[in-house]
Amino acid sequence: MSYRHAIGTRAYVFEDMRTLLAKATPIRSGDQLAGLAAESAEESVAARMALADVPLTTFLNEMVVPYEEDEVTRLIMDSHDAAAFKPIASQTVGSFRDWLLSEEATTERLAAIAPGVTPEMAAAVSKLMRNQDLIAVARRCSVVTRFRNTIGLPGTMAVRLQPNHPADDLRGIAASIADGLAYGCGDAVIGINPVSDNMQVLADLLKMLDELISRLAIPTQGCVLTHVTSSVELINRGVPVDLVFQSVAGTEAANKSFGIDLAVLREGFEAGRALKRGTVGNNVMYFETGQGSALSAGAHHDVDQQTLEARAYAVCRAFEPLLVNTVVGFIGPEYLYDGKQIVRAGLEDHFCGKLMGVPLGCDICYTNHAEADQDDMDTLLTLLGAAGVNYIMGIPGADDVMLNYQSTSFHDQLYIREVLGLKRAPEFEAWLAAQGITGAGGRLIAPGQALQLLGPLAEIAQ
């Protein structure tokens, strides 16, 4: 069906839901590249006005990607929780926004409706929101997950310690891990992006992480961010795997470009669960996403990139993940051109994920050919900290020497903890205190206190 809204004497007509959502999206280079963006600010306003009047029930009847052609659409529709949706079923997109910003939308009520919120509903309402709205609502959404510690509690923010090395050198990785632990990072996960996909290299990395975590009794989890099929193979070989990782997208075709489908993810999920390696919970999946991935694969179905990103969270939600993060500026300026677009996308992604009940973190990042810099990342870090982001990245010097992009450093998380009073995962905080790395209030006593870890780490890395 078509949608319309008049501004003055000009009537704007949007031929279907895909067009309406795309034209209502705040401007970004990816939608312009795809030929989907509004052609003027006036057209964008008209689209938002028309979108505000759309009943939420419309999204249960009009699919942006056909049900018959796409297993992600089928997952969204077939798993929709009608009982959870009932309290908001009479609302339009506009009135849903008003309700989300009201005192009635408590943390408990937001958690209750989450299974009834489809990605398209979340994306639609986000398009009507200012940045402060996205922050205010997301802050009230609490999504808590557990493996060897507890992530996502109110007033906390975890950090993925990302010790990548351009040659997968165990000693270099161990040195970065020691550095990160010295600054109180690593409660989300100690996660390595490997250069190689060689099974022996992957196994050696996982064994090192396992020995490190076991020998030092660190209440955290390790992960080598390899393809889900490789993780399943490693599990079958008896290699210690904590978290099963995979990049995912919002359409079946885009996921095929990653070499996966829902059945493959289910296999990884079940293999990871069967190991029962968690101590306080069994959330075993780690997913990464990012606006523009479907478009870059030619698998976007003429849907705007932010709506497709929200659809990726439906894929994640089905597998009860410990961690999900949007690698927000990683794909490049073809999709998010500058700091302003990256900041907006990060807030949208976090809001949509949390509204859908997904434990969203963010890799606050950019590539060197984007019109962005570290000041933009400071801004997004501060806004996401205020919004209650579950976790961020901790990378030596904020410069990933293997993936060649800019993110957030071990020092950056200290800044946001100081400014906003954010604590670490409680089990990890207690371990840091026992090691003498932190003192009262979780403050670092001195990074040098962690030098005691270098000896065991060096032995493990041999």
Side-chain angles (χ1 to χ4, degrees):
M1 63 178 290
S2 63
Y3 304 87
R4 64 183 62 230
H5 185 81
I7 296 181
T9 59
R10 180 166 182 180
Y12 287 90
V13 179
F14 308 98
E15 63 185 24
D16 54 25
M17 181 60 71
R18 285 183 298 187
T19 304
L20 180 63
L21 289 170
K23 301 289 189 181
T25 305
I27 201 71
R28 62 208 54 195
S29 54
D31 292 335
Q32 291 174 320
L33 178 66
L36 304 175
E39 296 181 4
S40 67
E42 184 173 278
E43 184 182 26
S44 181
V45 169
R48 291 179 209 182
M49 295 295 288
L51 182 60
D53 291 334
V54 173
L56 292 182
T57 51
T58 302
F59 296 100
L60 301 177
N61 300 305
E62 186 176 353
M63 318 301 157
V64 296
V65 183
Y67 183 94
E68 298 78 13
E69 299 176 15
D70 188 88
E71 68 171 359
V72 176
T73 300
R74 293 193 290 275
L75 171 68
I76 293 166
M77 292 296 104
D78 296 348
S79 63
H80 183 250
D81 189 326
F85 179 63
K86 187 175 180 180
I88 58 173
S90 63
Q91 295 183 8
T92 64
V93 177
S95 64
F96 186 38
R97 172 191 175 275
D98 293 343
W99 181 82
L100 288 171
L101 290 166
S102 74
E103 294 182 359
E104 293 182 23
T106 61
T107 296
E108 294 73 22
R109 286 175 178 167
L110 289 168
I113 68 166
V117 177
T118 69
E120 291 82 0
M121 294 175 195
V125 74
S126 77
K127 297 175 194 297
L128 305 186
M129 290 181 153
R130 293 170 57 185
N131 286 0
Q132 66 172 256
D133 300 337
L134 298 172
I135 293 167
V137 176
R139 185 175 178 83
R140 283 186 257 127
C141 296
S142 179
V143 184
V144 179
T145 57
R146 296 175 175 86
F147 189 76
R148 291 200 187 97
N149 59 26
T150 307
I151 298 170
L153 293 169
T156 68
M157 182 194 75
V159 176
R160 170 187 162 188
L161 202 172
Q162 186 168 313
N164 294 343
H165 191 279
D168 289 335
D169 182 80
L170 295 181
R171 291 171 297 175
I173 289 170
S176 290
I177 292 173
D179 192 17
L181 291 173
Y183 284 95
C185 298
D187 45 349
V189 63
I190 302 175
I192 304 166
N193 294 92
V195 177
S196 175
D197 59 2
N198 177 275
M199 283 293 169
Q200 188 57 56
V201 172
L202 300 175
D204 290 344
L205 291 170
L206 283 163
K207 289 174 182 176
M208 184 192 75
L209 286 177
D210 180 59
E211 186 176 353
L212 161 69
I213 291 170
S214 299
R215 185 165 171 178
L216 300 179
I218 309 173
T220 191
Q221 34 284 330
C223 185
V224 172
L225 282 68
T226 188
H227 196 270
V228 61
T229 55
S230 296
S231 292
V232 171
E233 175 62 24
L234 290 161
I235 289 171
N236 291 337
R237 294 186 184 190
V239 177
V241 174
D242 287 345
L243 304 184
V244 177
F245 170 80
Q246 185 56 49
S247 295
V248 299
T251 69
E252 179 179 347
N255 283 324
K256 283 183 178 178
S257 76
F258 291 145
I260 61 166
D261 57 21
L262 296 178
V264 169
L265 294 179
R266 175 67 58 184
E267 183 181 3
F269 171 72
E270 292 175 351
R273 276 279 174 97
L275 296 178
K276 298 181 179 179
R277 291 175 58 83
T279 55
V280 298
N282 206 23
N283 297 116
V284 300
M285 301 301 287
Y286 175 11
F287 294 116
E288 287 189 344
T289 67
Q291 288 193 28
S293 59
L295 175 58
S296 68
H300 61 295
H301 295 270
D302 289 331
V303 180
D304 70 273
Q305 64 185 40
Q306 190 257 330
T307 299
L308 291 179
E309 173 71 3
R311 283 169 57 94
Y313 304 149
V315 175
C316 300
R317 180 167 63 178
F319 299 99
E320 303 172 36
L322 179 76
L323 306 167
V324 177
N325 70 268
T326 168
V327 194
V328 66
F330 183 75
I331 303 181
E334 300 86 353
Y335 306 95
L336 294 170
Y337 178 71
D338 57 14
K340 181 179 178 67
Q341 292 187 14
I342 292 171
V343 167
R344 173 70 190 189
L347 294 176
E348 289 169 346
D349 295 350
H350 179 250
F351 163 84
C352 288
K354 287 291 187 64
L355 186 62
M356 293 171 61
V358 174
L360 244 289
C362 185
D363 190 341
I364 301 164
C365 64
Y366 65 101
T367 57
N368 285 315
H369 62 309
E371 292 295 320
D373 58 28
Q374 214 65 38
D375 286 340
D376 296 311
M377 301 307 101
D378 288 349
T379 297
L380 182 53
L381 170 62
T382 305
L383 296 175
L384 284 172
V389 70
N390 273 32
Y391 70 104
I392 63 168
M393 305 298 125
I395 297 172
D399 182 7
D400 193 298
V401 295
M402 193 282 279
L403 291 172
N404 196 28
Y405 77 116
Q406 310 302 309
S407 185
T408 44
S409 72
F410 300 148
H411 302 76
D412 292 335
Q413 55 89 28
L414 293 177
Y415 145 74
I416 201 65
R417 293 192 194 287
E418 175 71 21
V419 170
L420 298 179
L422 298 172
K423 299 184 180 300
R424 300 171 181 87
E427 300 89 344
F428 189 77
E429 192 80 85
W431 179 83
L432 290 173
Q435 298 297 313
I437 297 172
T438 58
R443 290 173 176 266
L444 291 184
I445 294 175
Q449 290 295 117
L451 289 176
Q452 65 203 13
L453 304 177
L454 287 175
L457 280 166
E459 292 177 25
I460 292 167
Q462 292 301 320

